[in-house]
Amino acid sequence: MDNTRPATNALEKGPAPGGLRQSKFALFCKRHKFIVIPIAIMILLLPLLGLLALRTHHAHGMNYTSPVVYPSPQGYGAGNWSAAYERAAAVVANMSLEEMNNVTLGVIDGSNGCVGVSGSAPRYGYPGLCLHDAGNGVRNTDGVNGYASGLHIGASWNATLAYERAQFMGAEFRRKGVNVALGPVVGPIGRIAEGGRNWEAFGADPYLDGILGAQSVIGLQESVIASVKHFVAYEQETNRNPISTNSDTILSTSANLDDQTMHELYLWPFQDLIYAGAGCVMCSYNRVNSTYACENSKSINGLLKGELNFQGFVVSDWVGQHSGIPSADAGLDLAMPTSTYWSERQLEQAVNTGAMNMTRLVDMATRILATFYQFGQDEALPLGVGMPPNLLLPHNYTDAKDAASRPNLLQQAIEGHVLVKNINGALPLSKPKVISIFGNDAIVQTAFNPDGQLFPQSWDFVGLGLPQAMNIASNTPVQDPPQVKNGTLVVGGGSGSNTPAYINSPYDSIQARAYDDDTALFFDFTSTTPNVVASSDASIVIINEYASEVWDRPGLADARSDQLVTNVASACNNTIVVIHNAGIRLVDAWIENPNVTAVLYAHLPGQDAGRALVQILYGDVSPSGRLPYTVAKQASDYGDLLGPCQNAKNSLSPQCDFGEGPNVDYRSFLARNVTPRFAFGEGLTYSSFDYSDLQVSVNATATANDTISAPVYANGTMNGNRNNANIGVGGLQSLFEIAGTVEATLTNAGTVAAAEVAQLYLQIPTTYSNSSNKVTRVLRGFQKVMVQPNTTARVSFNLRTKDLSSWDVVRQAWVVPSGEFEVFIGKSVLNTPLSGSFVT
Ligand code: BGC
């Protein structure tokens, strides 16, 4: 029916009140149409501009609310999930509501060492799941390897290594009876330099996290289900959990961010990991735009299950569930380690009373069981079989280690070392006559003979006394992290900590090499003012920088270690500094001292720390790591992104505005025009590389001005994705199509074989930046290649459509902006010898 007709007719029927004014107005309009029409268009557009302004200024304060997105999209067996869904649906169809309710929450088991066990459905042969930490190896048990940490693998820039590491790690989880490995970590991404958990993820860039995280998912899931965490925008430990006082509760901090920042930064790596097939996602402790992440319908229903079409299940971080039916409706599928909200059959009752839709409960149970079948967990060992609840009591020893993992563990350890200074030919060492070694990190802990708490994540063990433990409980930084007691730092603290059967320290391996070379060794592992034997060819100072879950770091360098370096350097003109660092470590106190001749960031190498270090120090291999974060000249150079948001006004609702938008780490330095000490991507080798012959073949078409409507995701429908052929697991499949390639030639111009990490950065045209934050260059490719001296290697980077896209908040779609894309290839974000461009 044409609704406009009667109105038109009515107007035609003689003058209405005000009719004369109307006709004068019409006359005026006719005469001045060149002025009137543009004004009218502007008036019509005003609401839209207002909307845009709201979205843009969202990041700069005021009112942060997370939109609601209901109902929760149902999993339906997209892509290769169909068989698993069929099996799960057949089982769930016969389940009672009570049984369905039971599989959606953790149960206190106590018969094994799993950090969580979920409810079972014995009638159907479903035993529940053993969920266990974490992304750097099996935690808190015996008979397992200590892998290099996420940040160390990030520093390796080696996707194949990440995949193989995860394969070995996944097999260990499976041998221990774990079904869900609680990793890898791609959030926190590293928004703040002092973040306590930055070392668990791969680096402060979404592309790097996405590529290495996806490979980790694929490797792990050959044996177990990977639980990708922490979803989403979980960037600080301070105020991560609610704190109850006598009368009030201080809520978790709210990460306040706009839609573009969400897509281009925090959601970005999750999409790659979902596309890689991740079976589980852990929602985080923080609030996102005022709503807890585990009951945030926008992020779970809207982004994860809608836009990314995630088919697995969402598990809460431990005690991260803060509501009953709202969390279920928002998309939470499994509450761990148990639930006060669901454990009294509340979901069953809610369905019976109509307070909750039954399809949601069916979907929860189906997602969990489908994931169980999808990854062959119906053929797994009994839950937690290799992990006794108490390691200190006699138990059957399950050796989960595979001898075949050894070369890979060593390779991991080697490749995450980043050499940032090397003058006067300090490294590699060549049969030195005398070496002096200093620093508490050179040796393992003086005792590893537990009588209570076994592993480093225990506060007792790392030397945190009661006052500090109280600080931990109130989420404030620990003022005096336990640098000394750790000895050689091979992993950070908390649930991401792993528990190697042995640790090889730097001193162990240097000593073995000293025997081969007939080198005299002097050492002092305790003093900060040691004697330095004058005849030393080199002094090696080995220090560390600790970080842990639960607290953010009080600073980016510890004065005691800095003092040691300065003191040794004042007595030795060939002082080599090695830092085992669980995050960014500043070096301003001594880096310009000419007696400090070499500096290695040794990160967190896992159990083979010493063996790997010696191979690099002595030039058996050239260092091949690159920084996965930016090292500033001084702490203040990080600006607002130095430390966590504090709850300054002691409010009950702490806020953290992500006003920088997507510009964290190197993007922040570029946007603010601050020169770092060491740039993102930087790292030296024992050789030198020339770059040449850039070839850019990208044939992408701009979609920024397309008039066709944006892809319709399942937002607000239960199964809208099912009928959309363009959407598969991971979301819009065309985002992953190759839009072009960029190639370059590397020449090893030095005298030794070395691996170079060629990096591709894009400067995307600003057409579709919705935020007021500057658009900077971004990492969009990397490739690590071993090149023999005087030979060349051709590197080739595939650019996916995703890599060329910006998020358009109005159309709610990824668009390829139109304009000139600048292409940079080089050794770091700031050192790019080749540049070119393409136009869309
Ligand atoms: C951590 C998670 C971890 C879980 C289980 C939480 O405190 O945030 O990363 O997987 O505990 O240990």
Side-chain angles (χ1 to χ4, degrees), residues 9 74 204 225 245 278 335 435 460 490 544 627 629 687 695 714 798 812:
N9 287 345
Q74 277 176 292
I225 300 162
T245 62
I435 294 183
D460 284 355
V490 299
N544 65 39
L627 292 175
Y629 49 76
S687 194
Q695 195 192 324
N798 280 334
Q812 289 290 291

Side-chain angles (χ1 to χ4, degrees), residues 738-754:
I738 303 305
T741 53
V742 176
E743 292 181 24
T745 297
L746 312 180
T747 305
N748 183 341
T751 54
V752 295

